[in-house]
Amino acid sequence: MHRIAVVHDMGSAGVLDIADALQGFAVPVFVCPESDLIEQPKDLIQEVGILCDIAGMNLEEAAEHIRVCEPEAIVTFSEYQLERTAQLAERLGLLFHAPDRIESLTRKYTQRGLLNAAGVSSVSTRLVHDEGSARRALAEIGVPAVLKPDRGTGSRSTYPVDSLEELIDICAEVFPAGAEMGSAAEAFVLEQQIPGMPTSWPWGDYVSVESAVHEGEVTHVAVTGKFPLAEPFRETGSFLPADLSESLREEVLDTASRAVRALGVRSGLCHTEIKFSPQGPQVIEVNGRLGGRIHELLHQSTGMNAIELAVRIALGDDTALRGIDLTVYRSIAFLYAKVPDLRAKILREVRGVEQIRKRPEVTRMIVHQAPGDRIDWRTGRLGNIYVCYGSVPTHEELAQLLVDIEEIVQIDCD
């Protein structure tokens, strides 16, 4: 079997997903750097794969340590490991995003400049480091605007800005040295807010496209529908396939193709978020990896193994994308995430979960917060109260199921 280096920081669930997906095809070599996100599940890794611990090593030392495991390819499914994986791939002579392309895939300011130049977005943006630079940016861009980390995922610390007064208040939060002095621990971008289009609940006004790139050729794997964002810009879930007309779907795919090419991607998977605006589809952002939990939705709705697909592309397998355009959807797979109210500080109680778990359409429902837990909307998806997974035969039945979930599951917060 193949040996595949997987640069990892996603916890035990991610380890099991990867090991299950590669069973009988490849042995995962879990490359574990130091992580601020999770404690690496090393005992579990040693049960289902090979542990390659590179914590505390520089890049040269890490590459040599990985080389001993003799991997034939390298991948990551973590946004925060893209840069490290590209650097390791270059040293190991393995396929991955080129190191000089990583900034365009992980830094929102750099990426927006390339997307605007290619005509797949027309969004004014500025890089800001403190209140002063944010004020100047707002004077140039105008409102409504969005302030968000230059590098970040999962709707973390993303703020709408509708006035200078709001911006000043937000700066006091995100620039910890103070609104008047010093700079933030991380850079932010201030950009125009992309206007949306009216939709009927529970459909959002944006989608994501999963794309596979081999030798610069872009093949689209799926278009994922989205549920409406919760205030201010928090994601509430996805479903596959999206409920789009054929003409709109083709327009979305063309936009995604142009975005991926604009960023110079030559090999690997990309996750492109696209918003429906009055000016047509506009790119929100492109990520250089498989979208979060998309592999699970794809497997549920089509039987496709997206993790194995990512590995086959990394191996340079010319046959990996054969037949992708003939994929048949046997159900509508979904995940629905409940986010806390903006004013909520402490979770008191969640009622009705067991009733929903008994529904035949629901495969599992995970409650992420316990009574007494402190919650903060700024943490993005890490603050989800619960996530419900399942599948239904039609989009109409999905809409009704979400109505039922909202009525049955009740949440009390302070």
Side-chain angles (χ1 to χ4, degrees), residues 105-159:
L105 289 167
T106 59
R107 304 293 179 176
K108 293 179 173 60
Y109 179 71
T110 299
Q111 182 178 113
R112 183 62 71 190
L114 293 169
L115 295 175
N116 285 346
V120 290
S121 72
S122 55
V123 180
S124 294
T125 185
R126 301 290 188 276
L127 193 65
V128 301
H129 301 275
D130 53 24
E131 184 189 320
S133 58
R135 280 173 175 263
R136 292 189 293 273
L138 189 67
E140 296 170 358
I141 288 173
V143 294
V146 179
L147 184 73
K148 56 187 176 181
D150 187 38
R151 184 176 187 179
T153 62
S155 309
R156 176 180 66 87
S157 297
T158 301
Y159 299 81

Side-chain angles (χ1 to χ4, degrees), residues 199-203 228 336 398-404 406:
T199 60
S200 58
W201 195 88
W203 314 133
Y336 178 61
L398 175 57
Q400 183 57 54
L401 177 61
L402 263 61
V403 170
D404 295 346
E406 284 294 304

Side-chain angles (χ1 to χ4, degrees), residues 1-288:
M1 286 196 295
H2 301 288
R3 282 193 176 193
I4 309 299
V6 182
V7 184
H8 183 76
D9 68 359
M10 296 184 296
S12 57
V15 166
L16 292 175
D17 284 344
I18 293 164
D20 289 346
L22 298 183
Q23 191 170 13
F25 170 68
V27 176
V29 177
F30 289 100
V31 177
C32 297
E34 61 281 352
S35 175
D36 295 331
L37 302 177
I38 55 107
E39 182 179 349
Q40 298 283 9
K42 296 178 182 179
D43 290 343
L44 176 62
I45 285 172
Q46 290 174 315
E47 290 181 20
V48 299
I50 297 172
L51 172 64
C52 183
D53 190 349
I54 62 168
M57 298 182 184
N58 64 34
L59 281 169
E60 302 303 333
E61 293 168 339
E64 289 308 308
H65 195 52
I66 296 167
R67 199 187 305 277
V68 172
C69 298
E70 300 182 327
E72 299 169 59
I74 190 167
V75 296
T76 188
F77 300 100
S78 167
E79 178 74 16
Y80 293 100
Q81 295 302 330
L82 286 171
E83 183 174 5
R84 191 192 310 262
T85 305
Q87 293 167 337
L88 290 170
E90 183 179 49
R91 286 161 174 78
L92 294 166
L94 300 174
L95 278 176
F96 195 68
H97 298 305
D100 63 358
R101 294 290 89 196
I102 289 298
E103 183 172 341
S104 68
L105 289 167
T106 59
R107 304 293 179 176
K108 293 179 173 60
Y109 179 71
T110 299
Q111 182 178 113
R112 183 62 71 190
L114 293 169
L115 295 175
N116 285 346
V120 290
S121 72
S122 55
V123 180
S124 294
T125 185
R126 301 290 188 276
L127 193 65
V128 301
H129 301 275
D130 53 24
E131 184 189 320
S133 58
R135 280 173 175 263
R136 292 189 293 273
L138 189 67
E140 296 170 358
I141 288 173
V143 294
V146 179
L147 184 73
K148 56 187 176 181
D150 187 38
R151 184 176 187 179
T153 62
S155 309
R156 176 180 66 87
S157 297
T158 301
Y159 299 81
V161 179
D162 292 308
S163 68
L164 176 60
E165 291 72 24
E166 281 189 356
L167 179 65
I168 293 170
D169 289 342
I170 295 166
C171 286
E173 289 187 27
V174 302
F175 300 134
E180 297 293 336
M181 301 174 60
S183 61
E186 61 178 331
F188 277 68
V189 293
L190 185 77
E191 64 180 31
Q192 289 176 317
Q193 189 176 140
I194 302 173
M197 297 289 286
T199 60
S200 58
W201 195 88
W203 314 133
D205 63 356
Y206 71 114
V207 294
S208 68
V209 179
E210 309 307 315
S211 307
V213 188
H214 178 64
E215 296 182 350
E217 290 297 317
V218 182
T219 300
H220 299 300
V221 178
V223 181
T224 307
K226 299 291 184 177
F227 299 123
L229 292 173
E231 291 185 356
F233 298 106
R234 293 175 295 167
E235 295 193 45
T236 61
S238 309
F239 56 95
L240 260 178
D243 186 18
L244 302 179
S245 67
E246 187 59 30
S247 61
L248 183 54
R249 182 177 184 275
E250 289 302 317
E251 198 173 354
V252 163
L253 293 180
D254 176 66
T255 301
S257 294
R258 291 189 292 125
V260 170
R261 293 189 185 111
L263 302 185
V265 177
R266 298 291 303 169
S267 178
L269 293 184
C270 288
H271 169 80
T272 304
E273 294 181 351
I274 295 175
K275 187 165 185 174
F276 304 125
S277 80
Q279 291 75 41
Q282 291 219 29
V283 175
I284 301 171
E285 65 180 31
V286 181
N287 303 117

Side-chain angles (χ1 to χ4, degrees), residues 334 356 359 361-362 388 390-392 396-406:
F334 70 90
I356 293 298
R359 296 281 294 248
E361 312 98 314
V362 174
C388 183
S391 66
V392 293
E396 291 76 17
E397 288 171 90
L398 175 57
Q400 183 57 54
L401 177 61
L402 263 61
V403 170
D404 295 346
I405 292 172
E406 284 294 304

